Amino acid sequence: MRLQIGSILTCILFGLVSYQVAAQSKNFIEVSYDRGPIVGNQKDWAEELINKIAYSGVDARFGWRSSKNTYFNYVNRYPSYGLGFTSVLNYYSEIGRPMGVYAFGEFPFGSNDFHRKLNFSYYAQIGLGFNMNPYDAESNPMNGFIGTAVNAHIHFGLKAAYQFSDTFGVFTSVGTKHYSNGSINKPNAGINFIPIAIGIRMNLDKEEFNPGPKPEFPALEKRGYWNIAAYTGVKSYDVGQRAYFRGGLGVNYLWELSHKYRGGLGVDWFYGAGARDRYPNENITFLDSNSFAVVGSWEWKLTDRLYMPVAIGVYVTKAHYNQEITSYYERIGVRYRVNTNVFAGVQIKAHKAKADFFEFTLGYTIPGKVQEIIHH
């Protein structure tokens, strides 16, 4: 249930951006077909399962490219946002026929030249995956990839597109498509496809996309910000075990680097409940279920309210019983700033791209004093 709520909230956050830009945008439909390998985890059962599956899929999405002449759009090269649906074509008894609904953002490379025929971009899709056959000790013991029928859908990739006319274009893309429940229920190795896609694009508006001259930029206030964030989530540690609370607290000091980015350093504290239940014969100490880390944080501002947090943390102490399997961790997600101070969001914390748990975040920002004003 937490996973479904988190994925739905993420779609809503991207949908808020789509709603804001839809009134002044170029609308389009894209349809694609993709094939590619499935990535395993070097386990014998995974290799056996991969040999049974020949992945191919289809994807359809409806999107908006904002032509609103704001400085946020300008520095992000006038990105596209929208909603989509994807499905594996074939049914397999071990994994089912994975499908997904998602929100997406697509961000062009290069300068703001709207007359180019050939364009390159990168994209992210975040949403809800479903229609999967999870692990079952009796009826489906081979599937160690997923332990739930509903999972997060996450897809990152690169795209090349060629526009033949104002209304018709083609594209190809390559990326990684991941289905996971964030360790809410084990097993959770995750289903990982590497789809290589070809597709067509139809622009629904015949008007030329031209936002106009470079917009006026407000003065950049060089100042620091204290971010205080509470993380909550759940995690299952072994197959057949219940899920326990996972959470923590983060304090970061971020500096206004540009109109597009903030960056800084901070500390994270993580707590994992249930260690005494899971290891009743062990002498559990405070540091067995609590860990501390130094973290480098970065924020990519998509609008005045929506942004993506990215972080790399290095453990100072690791909780022995919380399956913190590496000396460092990664974090990526999406957050929405309710007002100047309050923000909320969802992120995934991972070790070497393997999910530790989904973080549902509520936080508070304390702006520092303005130290310098830079006029653009």
Side-chain angles (χ1 to χ4, degrees):
M1 179 61 70
R2 285 175 179 262
L3 172 64
Q4 296 179 46
I5 292 172
S7 298
I8 291 169
L9 286 175
T10 302
C11 289
I12 290 173
L13 292 178
F14 273 102
L16 287 171
V17 176
S18 299
Y19 175 79
Q20 290 171 359
V21 304
Q24 192 174 342
S25 61
K26 194 169 186 69
N27 304 322
F28 61 88
I29 294 173
E30 291 183 341
V31 179
S32 62
Y33 168 79
D34 57 73
R35 292 179 63 94
I38 303 175
V39 180
N41 56 6
Q42 287 76 55
K43 303 291 186 182
D44 290 340
W45 63 263
E47 297 305 315
E48 184 179 349
L49 184 52
I50 287 171
N51 290 334
K52 291 187 171 187
I53 299 171
Y55 168 74
S56 61
V58 292
D59 206 298
R61 49 192 168 268
F62 177 63
W64 307 261
R65 188 181 186 191
S66 173
S67 58
K68 195 172 182 180
N69 203 12
T70 67
Y71 76 90
F72 278 112
N73 276 340
Y74 184 87
V75 297
N76 286 300
R77 304 181 191 91
Y78 294 90
S80 301
Y81 300 99
L83 301 172
F85 169 79
T86 185
S87 176
V88 172
L89 288 177
N90 298 320
Y91 174 86
Y92 299 95
S93 60
E94 294 83 3
I95 66 170
R97 181 183 287 114
M99 298 179 180
V101 289
Y102 59 83
F104 72 86
E106 183 179 325
F107 306 89
F109 286 113
S111 60
N112 287 321
D113 181 356
F114 307 116
H115 302 290
R116 283 195 305 253
K117 294 291 187 181
L118 180 62
N119 292 279
F120 300 92
S121 59
Y122 56 99
Y123 60 86
Q125 302 174 359
I126 303 175
L128 197 66
F130 55 94
N131 202 43
M132 302 178 211
N133 294 344
Y135 168 88
D136 185 277
E138 295 183 0
S139 63
N140 195 17
M142 183 179 289
N143 182 10
F145 287 136
I146 50 171
T148 52
V150 177
N151 296 273
H153 165 98
I154 302 171
H155 186 181
F156 297 101
L158 300 172
K159 179 179 176 182
Y162 189 85
Q163 199 68 29
F164 287 104
S165 67
D166 288 341
T167 57
F168 176 73
V170 296
F171 64 87
T172 183
S173 66
V174 61
T176 58
K177 183 182 291 187
H178 176 72
Y179 291 106
S180 166
N181 64 40
S183 292
I184 290 174
N185 196 39
K186 292 291 185 78
N188 187 54
I191 300 177
N192 296 286
F193 301 122
I194 302 181
I196 301 171
I198 55 171
I200 59 173
R201 172 181 175 130
M202 295 292 295
N203 290 326
L204 302 181
D205 308 294
K206 294 184 179 180
E207 296 81 7
E208 181 182 6
F209 184 84
N210 189 359
K214 181 178 178 180
E216 236 182 81
F217 277 61
L220 180 65
E221 297 180 342
K222 300 289 281 186
R223 68 164 82 193
Y225 296 82
W226 286 102
N227 272 359
I228 303 169
Y231 315 126
T232 65
V234 295
K235 178 181 176 69
S236 174
Y237 293 88
D238 290 298
V239 176
Q241 279 197 355
R242 54 163 286 198
Y244 292 88
F245 172 82
R246 283 282 273 136
L249 187 68
V251 179
N252 285 262
Y253 185 80
L254 302 180
W255 185 251
E256 197 81 67
L257 301 176
S258 68
H259 286 93
K260 189 174 180 179
Y261 302 123
R262 289 176 181 167
L265 292 171
V267 293
D268 275 340
W269 159 60
F270 298 105
Y271 167 70
R276 287 186 173 86
D277 291 342
R278 290 180 282 118
Y279 300 95
N281 298 322
E282 300 290 333
N283 181 25
I284 305 298
T285 67
F286 176 82
L287 292 179
D288 288 330
S289 53
N290 292 269
S291 58
F292 299 87
V294 176
V295 60
S297 297
W298 178 69
E299 292 181 354
W300 173 13
K301 295 178 281 186
L302 301 176
T303 73
D304 59 338
R305 292 184 179 270
L306 189 75
Y307 62 99
M308 292 183 67
V310 179
I312 298 291
V314 177
Y315 289 109
V316 178
T317 63
K318 287 198 299 181
H320 179 64
Y321 293 108
N322 287 349
Q323 293 182 353
E324 292 167 345
I325 58 176
T326 61
S327 59
Y328 65 92
Y329 58 91
E330 313 93 46
R331 172 185 290 127
I332 188 170
V334 61
R335 290 178 181 171
Y336 186 78
R337 193 166 293 283
V338 180
N339 55 39
T340 303
N341 302 109
V342 179
F343 61 87
V346 59
Q347 303 83 229
I348 186 167
K349 175 177 177 269
H351 300 108
K352 288 186 177 180
K354 184 176 181 180
D356 183 19
F357 73 104
F358 281 110
E359 301 172 332
F360 301 93
T361 300
L362 182 64
Y364 193 85
T365 297
I366 305 173
K369 292 182 179 180
V370 177
Q371 299 182 14
E372 183 182 2
I373 297 178
I374 299 176
H375 295 277
H376 195 81

